[in-house]
Amino acid sequence: MHPMLNIAVRAARSAGSIIGRGFENIDDLQVEQKGTNDFVTKVDKEAEQAIISKIQQSYPDHSFVGEEGANIQGNPDFKWVIDPLDGTTNFIKGIPHFAVSIALLYKGRLDQAVVFDPIRNELFTASKGASAQLNGHRIRVGSARELSNTVVATAFPFKQREQLDNYMQSFSKIFAQVGDIRRSGSAALDLAYVAAGRYDAYWERGIKPWDIAAGELLVRESGGLSTNFAGDNDPMHSGEIVAANPRLVPQLVRFLK
């Protein structure tokens, strides 16, 4: 395992321990509202700090950006992009589907990735050019050639409901083509599931870099492709993503452009 990936795994497990303890005591959670349908808990904040502290023990000069406010300016060549608890609403409601997401950008390009599901103890990892793994076993995207009979995942624009009409037009077209659609509440796990071949594809609009950074590298290193809705190869900075095997992405983009 790449040394920096090894540190990221330790950081993810540290955060996962905090999240697990919090999940056992969800009745005692203090929940704050950051924006429309956007929540944060003390667990989110503690998990983010645990991740940063663990990584800084080995790499004190690196930069960090995180969903819960982390913005540490260090060596610009190494930037960690963190979502300490992707799926906070699930967590608050006691739905056991959420994850820690950690990615490293090296000179602006995705280099290392970890998505950790602390409830199922599933650890998805990837290093650039070295494949993606689930609990140490290599994973691959699905092999579907056509959308028919596929199971795909998405997320509704619950924070930006003014986009609902446009979204539903695309949703209706895609729904007519696929076998079924899932909406799980965690972009990080959706992308990890695409990488593992559990979902055939995933698309979403209105997302932040920390939502998808780690998952995007997982998909790439498992043989998949990720683009924005126009088919361009920069989803992390466009706020939208389509991820699947290389045969399915163009078929989905056709309905999303």
Side-chain angles (χ1 to χ4, degrees):
M1 184 179 289
H2 189 285
M4 291 186 185
L5 181 60
N6 188 40
I7 296 301
V9 167
R10 294 181 189 177
R13 291 196 180 279
S14 178
S17 296
I18 294 170
I19 293 167
R21 291 194 297 269
F23 195 62
E24 292 173 357
N25 300 282
I26 55 174
D27 291 338
D28 299 327
L29 284 178
Q30 295 180 350
V31 182
E32 301 174 22
Q33 188 163 349
K34 298 188 292 183
T36 304
N37 299 313
D38 193 6
F39 302 97
V40 64
T41 72
K42 183 179 179 182
V43 171
D44 295 71
K45 297 175 181 179
E46 289 180 351
E48 183 167 284
Q49 285 304 309
I51 292 167
I52 293 171
S53 296
K54 182 65 71 173
I55 294 173
Q56 283 184 327
Q57 289 175 12
S58 299
Y59 305 108
D61 65 330
H62 285 193
S63 299
F64 295 84
V65 61
E67 181 177 13
E68 306 312 331
N71 187 10
I72 300 172
Q73 301 300 316
N75 185 338
D77 287 348
F78 296 92
K79 177 181 284 188
W80 295 89
V81 183
I82 302 164
D83 191 339
L85 178 49
D86 185 61
T88 297
T89 300
N90 285 349
F91 177 78
I92 293 168
K93 292 294 186 179
I95 301 168
H97 191 81
F98 40 79
V100 181
S101 177
I102 304 173
L104 173 64
L105 298 178
Y106 174 61
K107 294 185 176 181
R109 295 182 178 275
L110 288 166
D111 193 73
Q112 307 294 328
V114 175
V115 172
F116 177 51
D117 179 344
I119 300 301
R120 298 177 183 85
N121 194 32
E122 290 192 328
L123 181 72
F124 299 86
T125 58
S127 293
K128 184 179 179 181
S131 79
Q133 298 187 334
L134 167 56
N135 291 344
H137 299 281
R138 188 173 181 181
I139 53 177
R140 299 289 295 176
V141 293
S143 58
R145 294 175 176 272
E146 303 291 339
L147 288 173
S148 58
N149 299 320
T150 58
V151 175
V152 303
T154 187
F156 298 108
F158 64 98
K159 296 179 186 177
Q160 300 166 318
R161 302 207 172 186
E162 68 278 3
Q163 297 183 7
L164 184 60
D165 288 344
N166 287 337
Y167 174 85
M168 290 307 297
Q169 291 180 33
S170 297
F171 181 93
S172 297
K173 293 175 182 177
I174 293 171
F175 182 69
Q177 301 295 319
V178 302
D180 206 349
I181 295 180
R182 300 285 184 268
R183 190 269 191 264
S184 73
S186 170
L189 283 176
D190 284 342
L191 287 165
Y193 282 16
V194 171
R198 296 174 177 176
Y199 291 153
D200 293 290
Y202 166 73
W203 87 93
E204 185 176 354
R205 169 178 280 159
I207 47 178
K208 301 295 185 182
W210 46 75
D211 295 321
I212 62 169
E216 186 183 345
L217 186 62
L218 286 171
V219 169
R220 289 184 190 175
E221 291 300 323
S222 60
L225 178 65
S226 60
T227 73
N228 61 19
F229 285 7
D232 299 324
N233 294 320
D234 190 22
M236 197 171 68
H237 298 102
S238 67
E240 55 192 35
I241 188 170
V242 185
N245 72 46
R247 295 186 183 92
L248 294 184
V249 167
Q251 298 177 51
L252 287 164
V253 165
R254 182 160 52 100
F255 299 112
L256 293 167
K257 274 188 176 180

